Amino acid sequence: MSAAPAAFAALFRPYTLRSVTVPNRVWMAAMCQYSAEPAGPAAGVATEWHFAHYAARATGGTGLIVQEATAVSPEGRISPYDLGIWNDTQVEALRRITAFLKAQGTVPGIQIAHAGRKASTDRPWKGGRPVGAEAHGWQPGAPSAVPFAEGHPVPHALTVEEIRTITGEFAAATRRALAAGYEVVEIHGAHGYLIGEFLSPHSNRRTDAYGGSFENRTRFALEVVEAVRAEWPEDLPLFFRISATDWLEQDGWTADDTVELAGLLQSRGVDLLDVSTGGLAPGVTIPLGPGYQVPFAARVKAETSLPVAAVGLITEPEQAEKILANGEADAVLLGRELLRDPFWARRAAAELGAEIRTPDQYRRAW
């Protein structure tokens, strides 16, 4: 990676967290592909689709790829077709992907996750509705017996013993992530999945040590962070993805809560907060527009010392550059835009007058 001109340095300036240096600030957000086998020995195992999908974004110049939500247990999948990291067969398939990403100069990251009450659904292009045992489904577990939406099953309210088991599954997934070759682990605490369900009073109606007060509702998240950090090498960075607001008028998680939690996460070894929003409750009003979630990342950055990445309708190179140059975030995470254009980073470098590493096989085109 060559240094970019001073006028457009931010987006293509390397960024170091602990011992890992990411070659630029164009990062890929975790986006599920729903393309693994749903059952049998190949359940949750990465396929040729996954390899081709991530390889394309790496050759396209993306600095860091955060692999889609990868379940810490079979019951933690959003759908039966999700990737998993609960066994060694899954690790072997993932190792091929991380090796290729590293060979292209891309840092491989993985988002480890548990879907909670939003688990056991069909693939989005099949409608995304809950599925039962006849379609490889199961009964979801959650902080409380409160369904996600009308037509969704009432989840099983997790016992304290079950909560501790899941925490252990996050720790085991972390060990496997290291064995698979990842250099960044991101804990999924956003979008209304299990950790986010514990955080929000809208979904967490518990009356024990895991519900009620802010301290109690954040307990599970912090215990997971501590368990993951204990397994993840000291020289490798740990991310946490948060929904900074539920977009609910009352009884929801708020931006104030996010700022308070950020400090607690940092004190337990989190190196960067990946700031998204929403996903906990259906039917909420979200003011969609270019960069609509960036202000939430900017607030965390302004009010804490925890680095942040911004996401949400970031589509244009100059838009991304401005976010970084204005100090609103330390990196940008692109989602759907990288589905549309795997070579977005290369196009951005050309538009901004920066240089970017190019595979020898593609040099004739640049």
Side-chain angles (χ1 to χ4, degrees):
M1 173 71 64
S2 301
F8 293 112
L11 195 58
F12 291 95
R13 186 180 303 142
Y15 189 61
T16 299
L17 289 166
R18 300 195 185 233
S19 68
V20 175
T21 297
V22 186
N24 59 51
R25 316 295 179 98
V26 181
W27 300 356
M28 182 176 176
M31 291 175 288
C32 287
Q33 296 297 291
Y34 307 101
S35 296
E37 289 295 320
V45 176
T47 66
E48 292 301 299
W49 174 267
H50 297 98
F51 180 86
H53 171 65
Y54 292 114
R57 278 78 196 165
T59 56
T62 307
L64 164 68
I65 290 176
V66 182
Q67 181 179 293
E68 63 200 83
T70 305
V72 300
S73 69
E75 298 76 21
R77 293 173 291 175
I78 301 167
S79 85
Y81 302 91
D82 286 13
L83 288 185
I85 193 164
W86 65 80
N87 66 43
D88 293 340
T89 301
Q90 295 159 346
V91 169
E92 287 302 315
L94 295 172
R95 193 175 285 133
R96 179 174 174 238
I97 295 174
T98 61
F100 185 86
L101 266 55
K102 290 176 184 178
Q104 308 313 308
T106 296
V107 173
I110 184 172
Q111 184 184 83
I112 55 175
H114 192 296
R117 68 179 185 173
K118 293 177 73 175
S120 191
T121 60
D122 206 346
R123 291 166 289 187
W125 55 87
K126 295 288 188 179
R129 300 297 298 169
V131 296
E134 73 287 351
H136 309 292
W138 59 93
Q139 183 188 20
S144 304
V146 180
F148 170 65
E150 185 177 350
H152 283 244
V154 176
H156 162 65
L158 297 169
T159 66
V160 171
E161 182 179 355
E162 288 171 326
I163 292 170
R164 291 172 179 162
T165 295
I166 293 171
T167 301
E169 290 169 344
F170 272 94
T174 304
R175 292 192 295 272
R176 291 192 175 98
L178 182 64
Y182 293 95
E183 295 179 329
V184 172
V185 159
E186 177 173 271
I187 298 168
H188 197 355
H191 301 160
Y193 298 118
L194 185 63
I195 293 175
E197 291 164 17
F198 271 93
L199 294 177
S200 178
H202 181 80
S203 49
N204 185 344
R205 314 287 176 82
R206 300 178 74 96
T207 57
D208 63 3
Y210 289 94
S213 67
F214 175 89
E215 178 184 5
N216 285 355
R217 285 183 287 107
T218 59
R219 188 181 307 279
F220 176 57
L222 296 176
E223 287 178 350
V224 169
V225 168
E226 290 169 352
V228 168
R229 186 74 264 183
E231 297 292 342
W232 195 233
E234 186 67 23
D235 64 337
L236 296 180
L238 174 63
F239 294 4
F240 189 97
R241 186 164 228 197
I242 188 77
S243 281
T245 176
D246 292 333
W247 298 106
L248 293 169
E249 294 184 2
Q250 58 184 3
D251 296 329
W253 182 262
T254 69
D256 289 342
D257 294 330
T258 296
V259 171
E260 185 173 355
L261 179 62
L264 299 174
L265 293 171
Q266 187 174 26
S267 70
R268 288 161 173 80
V270 169
D271 299 291
L272 181 138
L273 194 65
D274 172 356
V275 184
S276 187
T277 65
L280 183 89
V284 298
T285 300
I286 299 176
L288 294 175
Y292 71 103
Q293 296 177 143
V294 174
F296 296 96
R299 181 177 171 191
V300 173
K301 186 167 175 60
E303 297 184 23
T304 76
S305 59
L306 183 62
V308 299
V311 66
L313 288 180
I314 299 170
T315 60
E316 298 301 325
E318 289 195 18
Q319 175 197 17
E321 174 66 25
K322 185 177 294 184
I323 291 167
L324 301 181
N326 289 346
E328 295 174 284
D330 298 285
V332 294
L333 284 154
L334 276 65
R336 290 173 175 83
E337 190 62 22
L338 276 174
L339 297 184
R340 288 186 283 266
D341 181 5
F343 283 73
W344 191 94
R346 299 201 179 287
R347 178 168 64 83
E351 290 187 19
L352 300 179
E355 295 183 12
I356 189 170
R357 182 181 184 274
T358 302
D360 292 339
Q361 297 92 328
Y362 289 174
R363 286 188 182 277
R364 75 188 78 175
W366 267 270

